[in-house]
């Protein structure tokens, strides 16, 4: 009897521990599903998000652009033609520059488009030829709200606590079109239960002025990530630390030799960020694109063990999850 109650107590402890392990914890290294499990299913489709959830990514990313009727849509670019059949469905709706802008279409019009693998506009070929076949699909665009409902719904049904990692795209462009994208996105996040740093949501933006405004003027209390783009300077860490909680440098800045900084300098940069209490979430780790490294595992080894990154954006969340588990 005593033995079996001891066994039960031990079992409950193990269960409790494994439950805690499956919740998001920013003190651990995190895996961010870049545009979903986009290495397997076209980026930013609901299907790619469901797959990323099943693969146990810690966070799932949403790039956000506004529609004409001011609704946050999950899509990487302000343009449509690299990932949808817009040129076939609405051939007359491009602007003078020949581009089809998300912001020129209402939500119901956007929902008529079919989403496919990303193409290179100059060749019309898939950017990543070994991924999902490039053909007409039944995949559709969707709103930020719809995606949050999917992730929260799957969190409930699986008992996981997978977070969201939305990115506000091109606030300057939206402002010129008369729209305050940050305000609108924050309203949706608050409505869906994300408003505090402890909530499973990290908000990111490349535009430092805008991220600072989000924190100071719009009073946002979420965990914020300042994205950095090669060849943007890595020298403004103190400034970023005054309003952000993490930085998101590109793999080119941190890893590729073309940046010209020594390994020691790169490591010191990350140490400096850590001393300023900034986490470092680097992008984008791809199994089918790992310049300077023989294989993906070597790149992950370098990123996590040598540079001591706190998290990575990846198109292949399953591979990175199993790398970290092992
Ligand atoms: O947001 C992190 C990473 O996704 C930034 O690059 O161009 O894929 O949005 P991009
Ligand atoms: Ca992004």
């Amino acid at each position: 009897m005593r033995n079996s109650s001891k066994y039960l107590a031990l079992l409950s402890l193990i269960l409790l521990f494994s439950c805690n392990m499956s919740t998001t914890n920013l003190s651990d290294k995190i895996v961010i599903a870049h545009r979903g499990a986009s290495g397997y299913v076209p980026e930013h489709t609901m299907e790619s998000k469901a797959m990323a959830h099943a693969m146990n990514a810690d966070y799932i990313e949403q790039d956000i652009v506004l529609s004409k009727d001011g609704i946050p849509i999950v899509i990487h670019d302000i343009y449509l033609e690299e990932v949808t059949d817009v040129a076939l469905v609405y051939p007359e709706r491009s602007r003078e520059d020949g581009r089809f802008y998300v912001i020129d279409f209402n939500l119901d019009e956007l929902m008529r488009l079919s989403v496919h693998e990303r193409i290179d506009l100059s060749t019309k070929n898939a950017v990543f030829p070994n991924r999902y076949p490039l053909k007409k699909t039944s995949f559709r665009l969707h709103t930020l709200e719809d995606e949050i409902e999917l992730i929260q719904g799957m969190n409930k049904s699986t008992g996981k606590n997978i977070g969201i990692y939305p990115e506000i795209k091109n606030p300057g462009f939206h402002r010129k079109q008369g729209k305050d994208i940050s305000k609108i996105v924050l309203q949706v996040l608050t409505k869906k239960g994300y408003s505090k740093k402890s909530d499973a949501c990290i908000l990111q933006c490349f535009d430092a002025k805008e991220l600072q405004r989000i924190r100071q003027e719009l009073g946002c209390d979420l965990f914020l990530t300042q994205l950095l783009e090669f060849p943007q300077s890595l020298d403004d860490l103190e400034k970023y630390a005054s309003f952000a909680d993490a930085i998101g440098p590109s793999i080119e800045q941190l890893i590729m030799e073309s940046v010209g900084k020594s390994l020691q300098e790169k490591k010191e940069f990350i140490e400096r960020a850590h001393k300023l209490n900034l986490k470092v979430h680097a992008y984008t780790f791809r199994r089918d694109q790992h310049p300077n490294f023989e294989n993906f595992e070597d790149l992950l080894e370098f990123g996590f063990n040598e540079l001591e990154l706190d998290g990575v954006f990846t198109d292949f969340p399953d591979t990175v999850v199993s790398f970290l588990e092992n």
Side-chain angles (χ1 to χ4, degrees):
M1 200 53 194
R2 277 172 67 123
N3 273 349
S4 81
S5 54
K6 259 191 202 160
Y7 172 74
L8 277 177
L10 183 65
L11 192 65
S12 339
L13 267 177
I14 292 170
L15 279 174
L16 189 68
F17 181 65
S18 47
C19 259
N20 282 338
M21 290 288 283
S22 70
T23 61
T24 304
N25 181 352
L26 276 173
S27 62
D28 294 333
K29 297 195 181 285
I30 62 166
V31 180
I32 306 142
H34 181 248
R35 312 182 197 174
S38 55
Y40 303 98
V41 183
E43 67 184 55
H44 283 320
T45 54
M46 288 286 235
E47 290 81 353
S48 76
K49 306 308 171 89
M51 192 166 185
H53 195 280
M55 289 174 164
N56 289 330
D58 297 290
Y59 287 82
I60 299 175
E61 190 203 26
Q62 303 77 31
D63 293 309
I64 312 293
V65 176
L66 293 183
S67 66
K68 189 175 180 179
D69 39 358
I71 298 171
I73 307 294
V74 181
I75 183 167
H76 180 264
D77 303 310
I78 57 172
Y79 313 112
L80 288 158
E81 61 270 29
E82 279 144 317
V83 292
T84 75
D85 59 352
V86 64
L88 285 175
V89 180
Y90 301 109
E92 312 297 327
R93 300 276 295 273
S94 61
R95 290 193 186 182
E96 273 182 4
D97 61 3
R99 309 296 311 252
F100 295 85
Y101 288 74
V102 179
I103 207 155
D104 291 340
F105 295 83
N106 286 323
L107 176 62
D108 61 337
E109 293 175 319
L110 292 170
M111 292 304 289
R112 282 180 218 135
L113 301 177
S114 151
V115 177
H116 51 66
E117 263 298 311
R118 172 168 291 273
I119 57 164
D120 175 340
L121 280 184
S122 60
T123 62
K124 301 280 188 285
N125 292 329
V127 171
F128 295 100
N130 295 326
R131 294 191 180 180
Y132 198 88
L134 184 55
K135 58 178 187 181
K136 187 165 169 55
T137 71
S138 56
F139 300 128
R140 290 282 178 266
L141 293 170
H142 60 272
T143 67
L144 173 61
E145 266 200 75
D146 283 345
E147 183 168 332
I148 291 175
E149 277 167 24
L150 176 75
I151 292 170
Q152 291 183 343
M154 291 187 296
N155 278 345
K156 177 168 183 288
S157 58
T158 60
K160 298 179 189 174
N161 181 26
I162 289 174
I164 60 169
Y165 208 131
E167 178 187 344
I168 292 180
K169 281 289 183 194
N170 216 327
F173 166 80
H174 284 92
R175 198 164 297 120
K176 278 193 198 139
Q177 309 293 314
K179 292 189 171 31
D180 187 339
I181 183 171
S182 301
K183 251 190 194 167
I184 295 174
V185 168
L186 286 180
Q187 278 162 5
V188 171
L189 295 178
T190 304
K191 177 176 158 198
K192 292 294 178 189
Y194 303 107
S195 59
K196 301 183 303 298
K197 217 164 269 198
S198 53
D199 295 329
C201 171
I202 299 181
L203 186 62
Q204 47 167 341
C205 192
F206 276 106
D207 184 327
K209 268 197 187 142
E210 187 69 9
L211 204 66
Q212 190 164 13
R213 169 178 177 254
I214 287 171
R215 174 71 85 217
Q216 292 166 358
E217 198 180 311
L218 302 182
C220 173
D221 195 28
L222 289 168
F223 190 103
L224 299 181
T225 296
Q226 175 62 57
L227 294 171
L228 307 173
E229 201 162 19
F230 176 72
Q232 189 181 350
S233 157
L234 294 178
D235 297 333
D236 282 336
L237 281 183
E238 280 77 12
K239 184 178 95 186
Y240 301 142
S242 70
F243 57 85
D245 305 285
I247 49 164
S250 71
I251 200 168
E252 287 81 3
Q253 283 170 309
L254 287 182
I255 289 169
M256 285 169 63
E257 285 161 15
S258 58
V259 182
K261 294 209 176 213
S262 68
L263 173 60
Q264 192 51 33
E265 283 172 296
K266 290 169 186 168
K267 284 171 95 161
E268 281 167 13
F269 164 74
I270 291 174
E271 273 169 28
R272 218 153 43 81
H274 285 157
K275 280 197 183 125
L276 288 163
N277 263 336
L278 289 165
K279 299 283 182 191
V280 184
H281 299 164
Y283 67 91
T284 302
F285 284 64
R286 297 183 167 113
R287 205 171 61 204
D288 49 4
Q289 190 182 64
H290 36 79
N292 298 356
F293 287 85
E294 194 141 309
N295 58 55
F296 191 40
E297 279 66 30
D298 286 355
L299 171 61
L300 292 172
E301 181 80 28
F302 180 78
F304 282 117
N305 297 337
E306 193 81 36
L307 293 179
E308 299 194 29
L309 296 174
D310 303 292
V312 300
F313 290 83
T314 178
D315 296 357
F316 298 90
D318 56 338
T319 312
V320 185
V321 166
S322 79
F323 174 86
L324 287 175
E325 277 171 2
N326 292 324

